[in-house]
Amino acid sequence: PEEAADLFEEIPEEHAADFIEELEPRDAAHIIDEMESDMQVDVLTEMEEADAAAIVAEMDPEEAADVQQRIRYPHDIAGGLMVTEYFAYPESATVSDVTADLNAHAEEADIGQETHIYIVSALGKLVGVLDLRDLVLSRPGTLVADILKLPLYVIANASLDELNEFFDRHDFHTVP
């Protein structure tokens, strides 16, 4: 499933959907589970509704719940582009906690162009962003809460024009 997911992420969604739709729902679900979150939705929305529902029903429950939440967003708003794989740490974490965790998960992590990690409250609310450069250049015992920056963000219902304007104004590759 991992290799199939990697392959299907390299071809247009409509073609990936055509191939995956031919599989048994359980087999298809294993492949969809392995895809990046934004690609999962793109492929599933290209399928017949009944086929997509059968596949989602066979997916890992956590992945399925995530897909069901994201699939409600139209493709022409920010929520339709969002991914749910990101790095987030509690504001009580230290620099060494974060770097140790990043190192421990380096094999499975796909940082890509990401240059920030997110800092969240005990309730999971976004409280700040931490530039990876600042993380690397800080002392190990420093609390991430002491070096975070206030987050810039967009709402999920922002239009693609609004999203483009945001990225024109700010030199970011991603935004919460």
Side-chain angles (χ1 to χ4, degrees):
E2 293 170 7
E3 291 175 6
D6 289 343
L7 174 68
F8 288 131
E9 287 177 343
E10 297 299 321
I11 62 176
E13 297 93 30
E14 60 272 10
H15 298 306
D18 289 341
F19 287 119
I20 294 171
E21 224 169 358
E22 295 298 318
L23 301 172
E24 290 296 319
R26 173 177 233 133
D27 295 332
H30 291 305
I31 294 169
I32 298 288
D33 278 336
E34 296 296 328
M35 290 180 157
E36 298 289 326
S37 60
D38 59 332
M39 189 65 165
Q40 289 174 328
V41 170
D42 291 344
V43 169
L44 288 167
T45 55
E46 289 291 331
M47 295 180 183
E48 296 291 327
E49 195 171 319
D51 291 335
I55 292 169
V56 171
E58 293 289 334
M59 290 176 66
D60 171 80
E62 189 174 309
E63 289 283 338
D66 189 42
V67 165
Q68 289 169 333
Q69 176 190 358
R70 288 179 290 106
I71 209 163
R72 291 181 275 183
Y73 291 103
H75 287 290
D76 61 346
I77 64 170
L81 300 175
M82 74 176 144
V83 296
T84 55
E85 298 92 10
Y86 54 88
F87 295 101
Y89 295 94
E91 56 192 334
S92 60
T94 64
V95 166
S96 62
D97 295 333
V98 173
T99 55
D101 185 72
L102 288 171
N103 285 326
H105 295 96
E107 202 56 36
E108 62 202 54
D110 181 15
I111 294 180
Q113 295 183 18
E114 185 61 54
T115 59
H116 295 92
I117 58 174
Y118 302 114
I119 308 302
V120 295
S121 70
L123 298 173
K125 182 178 178 208
L126 179 66
V127 294
V129 295
L130 181 57
D131 187 275
L132 290 177
R133 182 179 184 279
D134 292 341
L135 177 72
V136 170
L137 296 176
S138 295
R139 297 191 185 276
T142 303
L143 288 174
V144 292
D146 293 339
I147 55 174
L148 63 78
K149 296 177 178 136
L150 293 178
L152 297 176
Y153 59 91
V154 296
I155 60 171
N157 291 325
S159 71
L160 295 184
D161 287 338
E162 292 170 310
L163 198 55
N164 280 331
E165 288 173 18
F166 176 89
F167 285 117
D168 284 345
R169 286 191 314 271
H170 305 285
D171 188 26
F172 294 154
H173 296 283
T174 62
V175 60

